[in-house]
Amino acid sequence: MDKDQTNIENEDTLTTRQGHPVTNNQNIRTVGNRGPATLENYDFIEKISHFDREKVPERIVHARGAGAHGYFESYGTAGEDPVSKYTRAKVFQEKGKQTPVFVRFSTVVHGMHSPETLRDPRGFAVKFYTEDGNWDLVGNNIKIFFIRDAMKFPDMIHAFRPDPVTNIQDSQRFFDFCSNSPESFHMVTFIYSPWGIPANYRMMQGSGVNTYKWVNKDGESVLVKYHWEPKQGIKNLTQEDANEIQATNFNHATQDLYDAIEQGDYPEWELFVQIMSDDEHPELDFDPLDDTKLWPEDQFPWLPVGKMVLNKNPENYHMEVEQSAFGTGVLVDGLDFSDDKMLQGRTFSYSDTQRYRVGGNYLQLPINAAKKRVATNQEGGAMRYENDKSPNQNPHVNYEPSSLGGLEEAKQTGKEYTPKIEGNLVRESIERNNNTKQAGETFRSFKDWEKDELIKNLVGDVSECEQVIQDNMITLAEAADEEYGRRLREGLANAVKDGSSKNPLGNEHSEKAPEQAIEKGHDAEPY
């Protein structure tokens, strides 16, 4: 068979850059369908590594951001229990203990100078400069995510970005991906409701999104989720609110945060955790490692563990906000990974993209450097300007082990956590998908005006899509809730009749200017 004929027959077959056919583009390879993931996920690592390097120099995602310095103060407890029952992490142990932090808020999909009124998740990343080194808690304002497997992350972001031909944001691309990824419907329900446009950064929730683990001094573990609750209250915008603000100020959230701190009105958040025993929980109708799901608060209550205060603005945006680098793998003793497939994929991707974006020695920059002694055997790399050596270290020894005065391994402070992993390596989705149930529960929890806003926003964008995508979205809504599906179906039918439409997701709107943009918004109950 000649070369041209081979290309014709295989032109629609997905391959790697090496020309290898991709037979499963939905799941990373894991031990059993719940994980953990394995390092030899070559297709995934090649895919995510290239994705991390697609843009220069701004972040691939979370490019538009604002930041501030402050501190975290521990309560020393998790609810009524001493926190040491669950974790030996020093940052939580002592009541009143303060740890310096730097926080970066952001939008996810859009570029560095995009309006802060766009419908988009918001990033909420916290760097704790602890006595055991840095801990990064990297999350969003919404407590769930669109996908549950890291293999799909590049595809998801591609679908949400502008068309590669027209460079125009297109709602059809967004809903084409989401309607063919049923697990995304819960997140779509939040994003198209008022929760998709927080009024500002000070008045939005934060979440670690992924499932982590806590480990105590005896090496015992529990599953944990993190939640930040703003003491300023929660406020979201309708699309009309956002349109009015955007007409006069596309930096409103950054300005609001900066001005509040400059005036001494320091924003605060309380940190809560949900704790679950470290097992599969067959009694639940979802997998607790699935980041498209909420853990029911009545079964797994929110336990307060501390508060965060932001009291200092950056002195230089580029040095502190733009060059700040976070990673989900940046954990300290007493904090650990779960087998959450998105978490394991993010753990590689985040640090990898920082090395590409900022440089191999990005951790030597002051905003990223630990506030404790650092001693490594690392050498070279672009822009290296510090020598990570101990003053007592033999400068000729940059390896370990050594009998000539090199660095030595640290002593284990608690019993090592040693989970038992057993299973076949497979490429499978988790078994308890239950893609639409919680979307229905979320819809029913909304106030009437929030439901109205959700349906109006969905109809506006879904009405621009091909019929097959509209049908898929209606099917998902009907599976979630009868009223949800009926109202979406009726709204789309009416849009066809009156010929109304709306600009695609993310495009700018211009209407009359508000008198004071930051006063716009609607108070919301925590979820």
Side-chain angles (χ1 to χ4, degrees), residues 21-199:
V22 176
T23 58
N24 189 324
N25 190 44
Q26 311 308 311
N27 304 287
I28 59 177
R29 198 176 190 198
T30 55
V31 180
N33 61 41
R34 299 182 76 247
T38 58
L39 187 59
E40 51 70 54
N41 266 280
Y42 181 79
D43 286 358
F44 165 68
I45 290 175
E46 289 296 295
K47 180 179 182 180
I48 199 74
S49 297
H50 184 275
F51 173 76
D52 291 343
R53 291 159 173 78
E54 283 184 359
K55 281 191 176 182
V56 179
E58 71 179 37
R59 285 168 166 85
I60 294 296
V61 289
H62 298 277
R64 175 71 196 253
H69 299 268
Y71 64 87
F72 173 77
E73 183 175 310
S74 171
Y75 294 161
T77 55
E80 297 181 355
D81 295 318
V83 76
S84 59
K85 176 180 178 180
Y86 303 108
T87 179
R88 61 180 184 247
K90 294 177 184 176
V91 67
F92 292 117
Q93 300 304 311
E94 182 183 338
K95 182 179 180 181
K97 180 184 180 68
Q98 293 188 356
T99 300
V101 299
F102 179 77
V103 180
R104 188 176 187 273
F105 304 103
S106 57
T107 57
V108 175
V109 175
H110 306 281
M112 287 183 66
H113 300 293
S114 57
E116 292 180 308
T117 46
L118 299 182
R119 188 172 301 282
D120 199 12
R122 268 47 172 183
F124 196 124
V126 184
K127 186 179 295 292
F128 297 76
Y129 301 97
T130 86
E131 62 187 283
D132 275 344
N134 291 352
W135 167 36
D136 291 351
L137 180 54
V138 189
N140 292 330
N141 65 314
I142 305 294
K143 295 178 177 58
I144 57 172
F145 202 56
F146 291 96
I147 51 176
R148 61 170 67 96
D149 195 300
M151 180 66 84
K152 299 306 299 176
F153 191 72
D155 298 290
M156 183 196 81
I157 297 299
H158 285 174
F160 296 0
R161 281 186 187 156
D163 185 299
V165 176
T166 65
N167 199 36
I168 297 173
Q169 209 103 18
D170 186 349
S171 58
Q172 176 152 280
R173 291 164 48 81
F174 175 90
F175 285 107
D176 185 27
F177 177 87
C178 291
S179 66
N180 284 288
S181 306
E183 71 271 24
S184 70
F185 192 68
H186 194 190
M187 186 67 165
V188 169
T189 299
F190 272 116
I191 291 299
Y192 269 79
S193 79
W195 291 91
I197 314 179

Side-chain angles (χ1 to χ4, degrees), residues 274-288:
Q274 287 179 285
I275 292 175
M276 187 185 295
S277 60
D278 185 7
D279 55 73
E280 297 187 18
H281 288 272
E283 78 281 3
L284 299 176
D285 63 3
F286 65 94
D287 194 308

Side-chain angles (χ1 to χ4, degrees), residues 507-521:
N507 279 11
E508 297 186 13
H509 303 266
S510 295
E511 295 186 3
K512 66 177 184 179
E515 293 182 2
Q516 191 169 2
I518 62 173
E519 293 183 355
K520 286 284 180 183

Side-chain angles (χ1 to χ4, degrees), residues 353-388:
T353 195
Q354 301 299 357
R355 281 187 286 270
Y356 167 68
R357 188 181 69 86
V358 185
N361 287 300
Y362 73 97
L363 292 174
Q364 290 194 346
L365 295 174
I367 191 64
N368 299 319
K371 297 185 184 298
K372 58 162 291 187
R373 184 184 67 84
V374 172
T376 78
N377 284 323
Q378 293 180 353
E379 293 287 348
M383 302 298 289
R384 186 177 184 89
Y385 69 95
E386 287 188 347
N387 189 10
D388 295 341

